[in-house]
Amino acid sequence: MDHQETSVEKEGVADSGLIDLVFSWSMEDVLNRNLYKNKVTEIPDTFSTVTSYMKTFIPSLVEETHADLLSSMKTLPQAPTCEILAVTPKRHKNAKDFSYVIIIRGSGEAENYEPQTGDLIALTDIRPTCSDHLNRLGDSYLIAYVRPGRDNRLFIRSSKPISRGGGRKLFAVFLINMTTNVRIWKALISEKANTNIIKNVLQVQPNSSQGGNSCSICFSKEKCSAAVSNRWPSMGSDLNDSQKAAVLNCINLSKCTHQNTIKLIWGPPGTGKTKTVAMSLLALSKLKCRTLTCAPTNVALLEVTARLLGLINQSLDNGKYGLGDIILFGNGERMKIDNYDDLVEVFLDYRIEILAQCFNPGTGWKHWLESMIGLLEDPQQKYSTRDDENDFQTFEEFVKEKLNSVGEHVEFCMVNLYTHLPTSCISLEVVTDMIGALDLLNSLKSLLREISTLARYCPLWAGASRYEDSEVCFTNEFQNSIQKIKDTEIHREVVSLLTKLANGWRQSLKNKITIVHGTCAQVLQKYKVKGLLNLIWSVDVLQENSDYVQVLKIWDVLPVSDTPELDKRLENMFRSYTTAEMNLCLLRCVDGDAVVPIRMLVDSSSSHEAEADPVQVLSKPLSSLSLKDKPQTSSSEPQSHRKTRNNMPRRQRK
């Protein structure tokens, strides 16, 4: 059945612009519900030419535009309105083209509307509450179409000349937006459009043996790419048979080199067309097939994007790596993109803004990464050159504050780089390294928080709050080793042991590990961690002003196989201790089930006596001192960790 020209086309509708046609309607025409009754024929199933196909939809488009305008008349009291302050004619070669430049009153309580390109507006001297009010200006129904402007000026084309006699006010009242209708109109009447796609859809080529059919060579589930076939059971589980067939068709045709084919997916409302399109786009993205998705309305485009993002997010394995391969672009204001939190991440304008921050030479990823490396390599140097406004901070407070602030910027840049850059610009290997680095950074910050909490809640072996004065000393070797350990369970057990040690707990004799002999064996303690590592620690003695103070010295946490080498180095160090110093390290003060640190006055007159018999000297003021190991019961393990410190001098605390 071929299409026959309708009465609407005979009236010259196809030869005139859609805007001219709308301008030709009087108010009576607009309000006439039956204006196009019996003038729009049923669209046929087949067409002999592309031209007949295109012309078939013109009457339907005109009727739909009229229906939209009629509907707007029912809501005039609520229609967005603004006052026009100035109207300036714009010269044009066509005398019937009434073009103007207008200036409107700025938005405020009384103004809730700023005309946009494509808006059809009514011009009147009052804020209308009914359709009759649109006929007040010279007893004539006057409307205008908003054109693209520039330099913050609004251009309009009106249906008739605009006259503002008597200094009357002039208002612009929003009726409908015709952008989509005008685009469709231009596509239908264009004589220079590429119609190859339409020819394939219509199958109007009588001599074509392929037409719009699928390529028999490529169309089969078995031919599906490995990138999709591995995921197909889960991808296709939510599709019915016809939807699966449509998706598989898209997959195979994207790789077809035998013919250039287009497929039409059609169906009544509610049959899953959007779902099928989204699943097809997901499959094509897995094939690294560049795909452009278009829609006649913003609503339709946003719906497809939302469906696709839901599927993409379920398939991501490394954070949001891969999201950068999807870009949504368009007029953000018309899309009302700010109302779609889940779509903002893939919106082009937002992506440009985020990546511009990440690549800023002064405040981007390179700057913050270098800052973090400098902080980790030499925190003491950063502390000594800190800003004057941070002079009140202790070393510990400075390091924690800098790790948090710089770490936030590093994480922001890294996450946004692998989220928003296309996979062609950033490899999976780099992303894996980024995620690993962020995990280590978070582990370090967590460890510092826990150790700091340990210092507050474990007072037995805790010194003052300042970082340098803590009575649990951590060597650089220990800090380096703990940072290299990625196993969080090992981290927890190390912190648990440190917590219990700071609370005065000690292992019983039967559980102690003795690997070395000599001077080192008398002082050095080794506690197993997960059966794989040794936590090496000892009691040391420092002179603090006029006091001797016992401290816990945490030497290292390292594999059992590496322990002998450390033992040799420490053996040489302990040999330099005097007998008195060694005895002071071995003294134990027991309070109930807990070992507590010893603090005593430095008595220069008894120093010689201490060299001869330190036990006798020290036992006089402290009756609870003991040189023997006593069975200890493990104290309850608080959820707190000990704060770290750099190496501190053994004999004299500064």
Side-chain angles (χ1 to χ4, degrees), residues 307-376:
R307 291 286 188 94
L308 174 60
L309 276 186
L311 296 172
I312 288 287
N313 286 327
Q314 294 175 16
S315 66
L316 297 178
D317 298 323
N318 298 280
K320 293 190 175 181
Y321 177 60
L323 211 60
D325 290 338
I326 302 174
I327 293 180
L328 170 67
F329 58 93
N331 189 310
E333 187 174 351
R334 290 181 186 170
M335 286 180 167
K336 296 180 174 59
I337 193 67
D338 291 336
N339 297 336
Y340 299 86
D341 293 338
D342 53 337
L343 301 184
V344 170
E345 279 191 317
V346 296
F347 188 59
L348 180 59
D349 295 3
Y350 173 80
R351 179 161 289 169
I352 292 173
E353 179 182 341
I354 291 295
L355 290 177
Q357 295 180 48
C358 293
F359 286 108
N360 187 300
T363 58
W365 72 271
K366 188 175 182 180
H367 165 77
W368 291 114
L369 190 59
E370 290 175 349
S371 298
M372 177 58 71
I373 292 173
L375 179 64
L376 294 176

Side-chain angles (χ1 to χ4, degrees), residues 107-240:
S107 60
E109 293 183 1
E111 307 298 335
N112 61 354
Y113 173 54
E114 181 178 342
Q116 303 294 317
T117 300
D119 284 357
L120 187 69
I121 58 177
L123 303 177
T124 180
D125 60 350
I126 62 171
R127 299 180 186 270
T129 58
C130 63
S131 59
D132 290 342
H133 289 167
L134 300 185
N135 270 329
R136 289 175 54 87
L137 256 178
D139 298 325
S140 176
Y141 167 61
L142 179 60
I143 58 177
Y145 179 75
V146 182
R147 289 177 165 175
R150 59 179 179 270
D151 301 329
N152 297 322
R153 295 183 296 171
L154 289 175
F155 295 165
I156 65 171
R157 178 190 170 203
S158 63
S159 57
K160 299 173 184 177
I162 299 176
S163 174
R164 300 186 65 186
R168 290 183 299 179
K169 289 186 175 182
L170 187 63
F171 294 93
V173 184
F174 173 78
L175 299 176
I176 61 175
N177 186 280
M178 295 185 59
T179 299
T180 300
N181 300 46
V182 170
R183 287 174 180 171
I184 296 174
W185 175 274
K186 290 180 179 178
L188 292 176
I189 66 173
S190 175
E191 296 180 354
K192 299 180 180 180
N194 188 332
T195 60
N196 292 334
I197 292 179
I198 297 176
K199 290 176 181 177
N200 263 322
V201 172
L202 298 178
Q203 302 181 38
V204 296
Q205 301 159 294
N207 297 326
S208 174
S209 59
Q210 293 177 337
N213 296 324
S214 303
C215 176
S216 58
I217 301 175
C218 296
F219 183 64
S220 68
K221 185 185 296 188
E222 290 72 21
K223 295 283 186 179
C224 187
S225 170
V228 175
S229 59
N230 295 335
R231 297 177 179 264
W232 180 248
S234 58
M235 288 173 57
S237 60
D238 196 33
L239 302 177
N240 59 36

Side-chain angles (χ1 to χ4, degrees), residues 577-622:
Y577 279 42
T578 66
T579 302
E581 289 172 340
M582 186 63 70
N583 286 333
L584 288 174
C585 292
L586 294 173
L587 286 175
R588 299 184 65 180
C589 180
V590 180
D591 183 4
D593 292 333
V595 178
V596 297
I598 298 171
R599 176 183 290 268
M600 63 172 294
L601 291 173
V602 176
D603 187 353
S604 58
S605 63
S606 62
S607 60
H608 177 74
E609 189 178 1
E611 287 280 354
D613 192 355
V615 177
Q616 182 180 357
V617 175
L618 293 174
S619 62
K620 293 177 182 178
L622 300 171

Side-chain angles (χ1 to χ4, degrees), residues 49 100 225 333 388 441 449 461 481 516 534 537 552:
T49 65
Y100 299 87
S225 170
E333 187 174 351
D388 292 339
L441 181 60
R449 285 195 301 268
W461 288 85
S481 296
V516 298
N534 279 336
W537 67 278
L552 291 178

Side-chain angles (χ1 to χ4, degrees), residues 13 84 131 251 262 266 358 396 607:
V13 174
I84 299 176
S131 59
I251 294 172
I262 182 172
W266 68 276
C358 293
E396 176 193 6
S607 60

